[in-house]
């Protein structure tokens, strides 16, 4: 399980606990979700490559190091990943954005795709897929399979909570994709749990008929 990374930083664990409280309001949940995504972004991007550039400071010319944010793509699994995405963009505002729309079939619990939009030139980009909940792993696995068809340079998967079934599913189907999570939780596949079952508001994708048409152009600037 060397590709499983549990981010146990005290601030991450503190805010995750506050977010999962039964009496957490919708506003506090959204705020904490964004803060957690920002904190986790530091760990997830720890090994991002740097390049040297020459800059002018008030005192002298110097060589500094920067990341190429435009080579990074943050991919949100709709709808739940949207709030997580905003927090990540606080750290890497120059990143491009992609979206995968999936809903879970109520009978089979399998993921069905209804939307897919990625920036061009994916073969030159590194991808971070964000989704707050890794439960059965069916949606995440389907998203990664679809994403690999664009042949990105690398893929990472980031979630707040991960069930053992979801971890096992991704490790079996995509052993090359590292998983970053703030916490692991108990079994999920018996009932096909939603975010609410683990003290997270219901934000999981449902039927495509509920998908707002306006999202067809969402984050167009980041996707170019």
């Amino acid at each position: 399980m060397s590709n499983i990374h549990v981010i146990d930083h005290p601030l991450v664990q503190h805010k995750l606990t506050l977010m999962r409280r039964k009496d957490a309001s919708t506003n506090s949940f959204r705020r904490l979700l964004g803060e957690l995504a920002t904190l986790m972004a530091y760990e997830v991007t720890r090994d991002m490559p740097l390049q040297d550039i020459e800059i002018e400071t008030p005192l002298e010319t110097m060589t500094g190091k920067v990341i190429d944010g435009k080579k990074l793509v943050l991919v949100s699994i709709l709808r739940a990943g949207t709030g997580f995405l905003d927090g990540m963009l606080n750290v890497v505002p120059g990143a491009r954005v992609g979206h995968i729309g999936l809903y879970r079939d109520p009978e089979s619990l399998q993921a069905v795709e209804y939307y897919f939009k990625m920036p061009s030139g994916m073969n030159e980009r590194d991808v971070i897929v964000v989704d707050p909940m890794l439960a059965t792993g069916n949606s995440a696995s389907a998203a990664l399979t679809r994403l690999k068809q664009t042949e990105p340079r690398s893929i990472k998967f980031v979630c707040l909570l991960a069930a053992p079934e979801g971890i096992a599913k991704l490790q079996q189907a995509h052993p090359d994709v590292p998983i970053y999570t703030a916490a692991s939780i108990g079994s999920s596949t018996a009932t096909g749990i939603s975010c609410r079952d683990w003290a997270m508001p219901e934000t999981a994708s449902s039927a495509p008929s509920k998908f707002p048409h306006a999202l067809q152009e969402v984050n167009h600037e980041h996707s170019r």
Side-chain angles (χ1 to χ4, degrees):
M1 296 181 63
S2 59
N3 65 341
I4 306 297
H5 306 273
V6 177
I7 302 175
D8 58 359
H9 189 285
L11 281 175
V12 171
Q13 297 304 312
H14 170 76
K15 292 181 181 295
L16 181 61
T17 298
L18 294 180
M19 191 181 72
R20 297 184 70 190
R21 289 186 306 181
K22 181 179 179 180
D23 59 351
S25 67
T26 299
N27 286 339
S28 66
F29 177 89
R30 289 174 177 167
R31 174 178 55 81
L32 289 165
L33 177 61
E35 292 174 358
L36 277 163
T38 298
L39 290 171
M40 293 178 71
Y42 287 100
E43 291 296 325
V44 177
T45 58
R46 179 181 292 275
D47 59 353
M48 285 187 66
L50 295 170
Q51 60 186 28
D52 292 335
I53 64 167
E54 189 174 279
I55 64 170
E56 293 285 342
T57 75
L59 299 177
E60 62 181 356
T61 300
M62 65 162 286
T63 300
K65 295 183 180 297
V66 296
I67 63 171
D68 188 354
K70 294 181 179 180
K71 294 297 184 183
L72 177 66
V73 181
L74 301 177
V75 175
S76 167
I77 299 180
L78 299 171
R79 298 184 312 259
T82 303
F84 212 161
L85 175 68
D86 292 340
M88 289 276 184
L89 285 170
N90 287 335
V91 179
V92 196
R96 297 300 186 251
V97 171
H99 295 281
I100 301 178
L102 299 168
Y103 73 94
R104 187 170 57 194
D105 183 277
E107 299 296 330
S108 67
L109 303 181
Q110 296 300 307
V112 180
E113 179 187 318
Y114 62 89
Y115 185 73
F116 186 85
K117 183 175 178 61
M118 294 295 142
S120 61
M122 287 292 286
N123 61 319
E124 298 179 351
R125 303 181 188 274
D126 299 300
V127 175
I128 298 176
V129 180
V130 297
D131 193 8
M133 183 73 194
L134 178 60
T136 63
N138 291 330
S139 294
S141 181
L144 294 177
T145 297
R146 181 68 172 88
L147 192 56
K148 283 182 176 180
Q149 295 176 11
T150 67
E151 300 182 342
R153 290 191 306 194
S154 68
I155 305 176
K156 296 177 179 178
F157 182 85
V158 185
C159 61
L160 286 182
L161 303 177
E165 293 89 348
I167 293 173
K169 176 80 173 182
L170 287 198
Q171 284 190 314
Q172 180 181 15
H174 304 283
D176 56 320
V177 177
I179 302 169
Y180 293 80
T181 184
S184 59
I185 57 177
S187 180
S188 69
T189 53
T191 57
I193 64 170
S194 68
C195 292
R196 186 182 300 277
D197 295 311
W198 290 104
M200 295 178 66
E202 180 62 76
T203 54
S205 300
S206 53
S209 60
K210 297 181 180 180
F211 180 65
H213 178 72
L215 279 179
Q216 300 293 329
E217 300 299 328
V218 71
N219 288 312
H220 174 70
E221 179 180 351
H222 289 289
S223 299
R224 289 183 298 181

